[in-house]
Amino acid sequence: MTDSKNTQPADDQHLFENDFVYVNAEGDVILKKTNLFEERTLATVDPESVEARIEAFEKIFSGLEQKVDTFLESAEETVKESPEKADEKLGELIDEIKGAEAVGDFEKLVNSAKERLEELKEAAKPTEAEEQDSEAEASKEKSDEVEAKEESEAAVETAEPEAEEKEEAKAEEAPAEEEETKDSDEEDDPLSYYKELEKKAEELMDMTDWAYVSMEFDNIDNAWSEGPDAEDEEIQPLKDKIDKLREDFEQKKKAHYEEKQRRRLENLEKKKDLLNQLKEIVDEKKWSHTKDVGRIKGRWEQIKSVPEDEAEKLESKFESLLSTFDEHKVDRLVKQKQKEEDNLTGKLVILEKMEGFVSGLDETADWPEQEKKFDELTKQFRKIGRVPSEKNREVWARYHSAQDTFHSMRFKYDKKYREQIEKFLSKKKKLIDEAEALLDADDLADAARRVNKLHRRWKKVGNLPQKDENEMWDRFKAATDAFNDKKSENLDVLKEQEEENYEEKLKIVEKANELKESEDWEATHKALQGLMDTWKKVGPVPKKKSGKIWKKFKGAMDHFYDRRRDHFKEVKEERKDNLKEKEEVLEKLAELKSHDDPIEAVEKAKPLQEEFKKAGYVPIKHKNRLWKEYRETCDVIYDRFRAAKAAVDVVGRENVENFSADDIADIRKKQSEINKLRKEVGKLTGEVLQMKESLSYFKPSGGSSSLLDDVKEKISKAENKLESKEDKLADLEKEVDQIKKDS
């Protein structure tokens, strides 16, 4: 477990803290970092409900302990059938424990579970007689390995390395020949063979995997009995030593299990003492001693294994006393329990609505509207208070599942939402990069100002899904906290830089004072804006001087802009005259909208347009109105001009006067339809020819062909369609001719 000092926020103010969790000033319940996982936030709570929420998380952890106990109780058969499968199931359970939203000693729980499983594996170890057949082949293989090693050592003594490599290559290519060589070497040097068994026995003495070591000693015995002639007087001491090591191991194993039994008996006495304490509270009817009972229960759950013949009886007595105490709690607790049950009912109703709502969504959903409805359900859920602790995890798991499902579906199907989330994520990553870069900044004063701006910008960026939001915030806050630590360590440098910034701003004030009497309004305006930009780029100054120097700079700018406003008041009078002139031009242009000759009207409008443009600026409040009237008037004049030009194109300039405007418009419309039909007829004719040509690819046959019939049907439909369009085209051409004759 890491030191809590290393995990607490920079402000070092906690509403609550123990060895496993702390609650910061904002109400975030933060689980401390362990060897199993990084620090993470479990929930956000009100200050008044901190202890109750921590207690709820501790009860969830008690549930995890119970789950481990249940798993280990049912794991005995699994261990006998397949130790590997038991290890795999324990691994899955440990992964679940790591991700649980609970408070407790996770490391101790996981290590205890591993140790207890190893004990089960040892207890399930089969006897020698049961293993004899299954291990015979393994023993033979290990014997062969020892013999191969002896052969290798002998080869080192009698041959060069190159010869040894050749021998090993031959061994790979010719197993039968190697076996013969082994047998020969065993007969020549059995002492090396038995020394290797002795060496292996010595190595086993350092191991604590009791089941494995027992199996390996059995393998050594089998290898000894199947080895070469052991009548040599030098070999017997090796056997004696192996037997002695085996005896020492058995004593060591026995001591281990005796120690475990001692601890179980010790735990038994501890539980009996707790049982007596609880019995005293119940007998004396101390129903208000909730904390004492909670402490007893916590210590009871922390005490693990006891002798099996006592465990069930103890648990039964303890649960009976605990049940009696719970039944006689003060009215406040009874009412609270009832309230929690009512809250549970309310939350389950909301959860059913949320789950039903989510299940009815698909890719066609109106996501913004669905989000409003879903958010309303979320608000209703959160308004409801606490639920019974044993249901808390289940309820919140369902709530988070519904939330995750909704947001996952929306992220998948709602392109705008997906783009929005990706945009927010990109912005926050950029802010984190900027915050992390502040650590390398030389100008601490400027960096201090920037870090405050970064916090304001962070608040303006939209929220991500909760998991991503927490991850991004932790990174951002860590970077800004690191910079603040650096700033605190370099206050002298910070003050020096603020003084330098003050001198820079004094120079800017001097330049502003030089410009404030200028009458080059536009150029001076741009120059002052440039000074303002420079002012913003200069870092902060000492707080005591900040207000005074800003008043000086702002005073110079205000002086210039007051003079500038007075100047433009005079300009306004001039613009009133321009307004009158432009309105007169507009009246003349309006008369041209109904001119008899649209083409001549355009020629008269052009000089008037030039007069309008040269008239100069008008008061700002009339600018848009005048411009709108001007554009609308000109549009009418030029639309009539374009219509007149189009009539010339349709009937000829010499015939324009013979046709009404309606006739010309009708001819143009029908001519457009004729042109469109001609294109369609041409395209359709080509398709028919192409399909008829494709008939030549079909070979004659006695039977019918569905593909051939399909092609013929398409040709027939296309010809009918072509005939229809040709008829319509002919009718339109006749109508155009008739209009021309009538005129």
Side-chain angles (χ1 to χ4, degrees):
M1 183 70 65
T2 57
D3 191 342
S4 62
K5 182 179 179 181
N6 296 332
T7 58
Q8 59 192 3
D11 59 8
D12 200 24
Q13 294 180 355
H14 295 163
L15 300 176
F16 175 91
E17 184 175 16
N18 62 18
D19 291 338
F20 315 116
V21 69
Y22 67 86
V23 181
N24 62 21
E26 289 76 25
D28 295 327
V29 182
I30 300 174
L31 196 62
K32 293 182 179 180
K33 178 180 178 182
T34 70
N35 292 330
L36 300 174
F37 48 72
E38 296 297 322
E39 181 180 285
R40 67 175 185 262
T41 301
L42 297 179
T44 302
V45 300
D46 295 329
E48 296 180 357
S49 61
V50 168
E51 292 186 3
R53 195 63 180 273
I54 295 298
E55 182 181 354
F57 281 127
E58 289 174 343
K59 288 183 178 180
I60 294 173
F61 187 84
S62 298
L64 293 176
E65 293 176 321
Q66 184 62 41
K67 194 166 188 177
V68 170
D69 291 339
T70 303
F71 165 77
L72 292 170
E73 289 172 3
S74 63
E76 186 173 353
E77 291 299 321
T78 306
V79 169
K80 290 180 180 179
E81 295 174 4
S82 173
E84 293 80 11
K85 188 174 181 181
D87 288 336
E88 181 180 348
K89 288 186 175 180
L90 178 60
E92 294 174 354
L93 180 56
I94 290 173
D95 288 340
E96 180 183 343
I97 291 172
K98 290 179 182 179
E101 294 184 353
V103 172
D105 194 342
F106 284 81
E107 290 182 346
K108 182 178 179 181
L109 178 60
V110 169
N111 292 336
S112 173
K114 291 180 179 178
E115 181 180 352
R116 291 168 66 187
L117 183 62
E118 289 301 321
E119 293 173 4
L120 287 175
K121 288 163 69 176
E122 180 184 355
K125 180 179 73 64
T127 64
E128 180 177 353
E130 293 172 334
E131 286 184 324
Q132 186 171 4
D133 293 337
S134 63
E135 293 180 354
E137 185 63 26
S139 299
K140 183 64 173 66
E141 291 175 359
K142 290 186 175 292
S143 177
D144 290 345
E145 291 176 3
V146 173
E147 292 169 5
K149 188 169 185 180
E150 291 175 348
E151 176 187 356
S152 175
E153 292 174 353
V156 169
E157 295 175 358
T158 58
E160 293 296 323
E162 293 83 0
E164 182 181 6
E165 293 174 359
K166 292 179 180 178
E167 186 64 29
E168 290 172 352
K170 289 181 180 179
E172 294 175 356
E173 297 173 357
E177 182 179 345
E178 178 188 22
E179 191 64 33
E180 294 176 2
T181 304
K182 286 182 181 178
D183 295 341
S184 175
D185 288 345
E186 287 173 1
E187 294 175 0
D188 292 343
D189 191 11
L191 182 60
S192 297
Y193 174 81
Y194 291 111
K195 281 185 176 181
E196 184 66 28
L197 294 181
E198 179 217 16
K199 181 180 178 182
K200 185 173 183 180
E202 290 177 342
E203 293 173 350
L204 292 173
M205 294 303 294
D206 295 329
M207 300 182 183
T208 57
D209 188 340
W210 313 111
Y212 174 76
V213 174
S214 296
M215 181 185 71
E216 288 302 305
F217 268 115
D218 291 341
N219 290 340
I220 290 173
D221 289 343
N222 290 334
W224 187 284
S225 63
E226 296 176 1
D229 187 6
E231 295 180 358
D232 192 327
E233 60 182 10
E234 295 183 17
I235 295 177
Q236 186 57 39
L238 299 178
K239 176 62 174 172
D240 294 340
K241 186 173 182 180
I242 292 175
D243 291 341
K244 180 65 169 58
L245 291 171
R246 177 68 178 264
E247 183 180 350
D248 292 344
F249 163 73
E250 294 296 338
Q251 291 179 355
K252 185 178 177 182
K253 183 172 74 170
K254 181 181 178 182
H256 168 74
Y257 285 109
E258 287 176 350
E259 174 61 21
K260 287 189 66 176
Q261 182 62 17
R262 185 193 66 76
R263 290 202 301 267
R264 286 179 177 142
L265 292 173
E266 185 178 293
N267 290 340
L268 176 62
E269 294 303 317
K270 290 180 180 179
K271 284 204 169 187
K272 285 182 177 179
D273 179 57
L274 292 173
L275 197 63
N276 289 332
Q277 293 180 37
L278 182 58
K279 187 175 184 300
E280 180 182 348
I281 291 174
V282 173
D283 290 346
E284 296 181 9
K285 298 182 180 181
K286 298 177 180 179
W287 309 122
S288 62
H289 287 212
T290 305
K291 289 186 177 180
D292 291 337
V293 173
R295 175 185 56 81
I296 292 171
K297 186 178 178 182
R299 291 180 59 190
W300 181 277
E301 292 172 346
Q302 289 175 358
I303 299 172
K304 301 305 177 185
S305 57
V306 297
E308 293 182 5
D309 56 342
E310 296 283 349
E312 185 175 351
K313 182 169 60 176
L314 280 173
E315 288 295 333
S316 177
K317 290 181 179 179
F318 185 80
E319 289 297 330
S320 176
L321 289 170
L322 199 60
S323 176
T324 301
F325 176 82
D326 289 340
E327 291 173 359
H328 293 84
K329 282 183 180 179
V330 293
D331 292 342
R332 179 183 60 83
L333 295 178
V334 174
K335 291 179 181 179
Q336 179 181 342
K337 187 68 176 177
Q338 184 59 48
K339 179 63 176 176
E340 289 178 355
E341 291 292 342
D342 293 342
N343 291 341
L344 175 62
T345 302
K347 284 199 170 186
L348 290 178
V349 170
I350 300 300
L351 282 174
E352 289 179 1
K353 291 182 179 180
M354 292 176 71
E355 291 166 347
F357 181 85
V358 171
S359 65
L361 297 174
D362 56 31
E363 62 271 18
T364 63
D366 182 354
W367 291 104
E369 183 63 28
Q370 301 307 318
E371 182 184 25
K372 293 179 182 178
K373 296 179 180 178
F374 193 72
D375 285 347
E376 182 59 32
L377 291 174
T378 299
K379 290 177 182 177
Q380 294 176 23
F381 181 89
R382 289 189 172 275
K383 282 181 180 179
I384 300 175
R386 294 176 56 188
V387 301
S389 57
E390 65 273 13
K391 294 291 185 179
N392 186 66
R393 184 180 178 188
E394 177 187 344
V395 169
W396 280 102
R398 287 179 62 183
Y399 171 78
H400 290 306
S401 176
Q403 289 279 336
D404 292 344
T405 303
F406 177 81
H407 291 298
S408 296
M409 290 183 68
R410 188 175 183 191
F411 190 85
K412 181 178 180 181
Y413 297 121
D414 188 351
K415 183 179 179 181
K416 290 184 178 179
Y417 175 76
R418 182 166 60 253
E419 291 174 349
Q420 184 184 53
I421 292 299
E422 291 172 349
K423 181 180 178 181
F424 292 163
L425 182 61
S426 176
K427 287 184 177 180
K428 294 203 169 185
K429 285 182 177 179
K430 185 178 180 181
L431 291 175
I432 290 171
D433 291 340
E434 292 183 32
E436 291 173 344
L438 293 178
L439 284 173
D440 300 325
D442 294 327
D443 190 340
L444 289 179
D446 179 63
R449 182 184 65 179
R450 286 161 57 195
V451 78
N452 292 329
K453 288 184 177 180
L454 287 176
H455 273 281
R456 290 195 293 271
R457 288 167 60 192
W458 182 277
K459 292 178 181 179
K460 291 180 181 178
V461 178
N463 291 328
L464 304 172
Q466 194 60 47
K467 183 179 178 181
D468 295 329
E469 182 68 26
N470 291 341
E471 180 183 346
M472 291 294 103
W473 169 249
D474 289 343
R475 285 183 56 194
F476 179 73
K477 191 171 186 301
T480 55
D481 286 349
F483 170 77
N484 288 330
D485 291 341
K486 179 181 177 181
K487 184 179 72 173
S488 299
E489 295 168 0
N490 296 273
L491 290 177
D492 292 340
V493 176
L494 180 62
K495 290 180 180 178
E496 182 180 341
Q497 291 176 347
E498 287 179 342
E499 286 295 338
E500 292 176 358
N501 294 337
Y502 180 71
E503 295 298 325
E504 288 292 322
K505 288 192 173 182
L506 282 177
K507 295 177 181 178
I508 296 175
V509 171
E510 290 177 4
K511 292 180 180 178
N513 284 326
E514 292 173 359
L515 293 171
K516 69 181 182 179
E517 299 295 342
S518 173
E519 293 185 358
D520 188 348
W521 310 113
E522 190 61 28
T524 305
H525 164 67
K526 291 181 179 179
L528 287 174
Q529 291 302 310
L531 289 178
M532 176 62 80
D533 293 338
T534 305
W535 181 279
K536 292 178 180 179
K537 291 177 182 178
V538 177
V541 302
K543 288 185 178 180
K544 292 182 180 180
K545 301 178 181 180
S546 178
K548 293 180 180 180
I549 195 171
W550 168 248
K551 286 181 180 179
K552 291 180 180 179
F553 178 59
K554 189 173 183 299
M557 295 188 67
D558 288 346
H559 179 78
F560 168 77
Y561 284 108
D562 287 343
R563 293 177 56 248
R564 183 170 177 257
R565 278 191 292 274
D566 291 339
H567 164 73
F568 282 109
K569 285 181 181 178
E570 299 175 2
V571 172
K572 284 183 179 180
E573 294 300 323
E574 179 182 344
R575 291 185 175 182
K576 288 181 180 179
D577 295 336
N578 296 340
L579 172 63
K580 184 177 180 181
E581 183 179 349
K582 285 196 171 187
E583 286 179 337
E584 291 175 355
V585 172
L586 276 176
E587 290 177 3
K588 294 178 181 179
L589 285 171
E591 293 175 359
L592 296 176
K593 292 194 296 184
S594 56
H595 196 281
D596 293 337
D597 188 347
I599 297 176
E600 183 180 350
V602 168
E603 296 299 324
K604 291 183 177 181
K606 288 180 179 179
L608 292 174
Q609 287 177 302
E610 289 298 322
E611 288 183 34
F612 186 88
K613 293 176 182 178
K614 290 178 180 179
Y617 294 108
V618 298
I620 192 69
K621 65 180 180 180
H622 297 287
K623 178 181 176 181
N624 291 336
R625 176 185 64 79
L626 277 179
W627 179 251
K628 182 180 179 182
E629 291 180 11
Y630 171 75
R631 289 308 320 158
E632 289 176 350
T633 301
C634 290
D635 287 345
V636 171
I637 294 171
Y638 280 88
D639 285 345
R640 294 179 72 242
F641 169 77
R642 283 187 287 272
K645 293 286 288 183
V648 171
D649 294 337
V650 172
V651 298
R653 189 173 184 85
E654 66 282 2
N655 297 320
V656 169
E657 295 180 356
N658 298 328
F659 291 87
S660 67
D662 291 339
D663 288 339
I664 293 174
D666 196 14
I667 292 173
R668 290 183 64 194
K669 180 180 177 182
K670 293 183 183 298
Q671 192 63 49
S672 176
E673 291 182 25
I674 289 170
N675 294 336
K676 181 179 177 182
L677 280 172
R678 283 174 178 169
K679 289 181 181 179
E680 292 176 356
V681 167
K683 180 180 178 182
L684 202 53
T685 301
E687 291 176 357
V688 170
L689 290 175
Q690 187 175 5
M691 286 189 287
K692 286 183 176 180
E693 184 179 348
S694 68
L695 293 175
S696 62
Y697 296 118
F698 291 93
K699 295 181 180 180
S701 62
S704 62
S705 169
S706 60
L707 183 59
L708 178 60
D709 294 341
D710 185 50
V711 173
K712 288 181 177 180
E713 183 179 354
K714 287 182 179 180
I715 292 173
S716 177
K717 289 181 179 179
E719 287 178 336
N720 292 337
K721 190 175 181 181
L722 177 61
E723 182 179 354
S724 174
K725 289 184 179 295
E726 287 176 339
D727 292 343
K728 188 174 181 180
L729 177 61
D731 292 341
L732 285 172
E733 289 174 342
K734 289 178 181 179
E735 291 175 6
V736 170
D737 291 341
Q738 186 62 43
I739 292 172
K740 290 180 178 180
K741 289 179 181 179
D742 293 343
S743 300

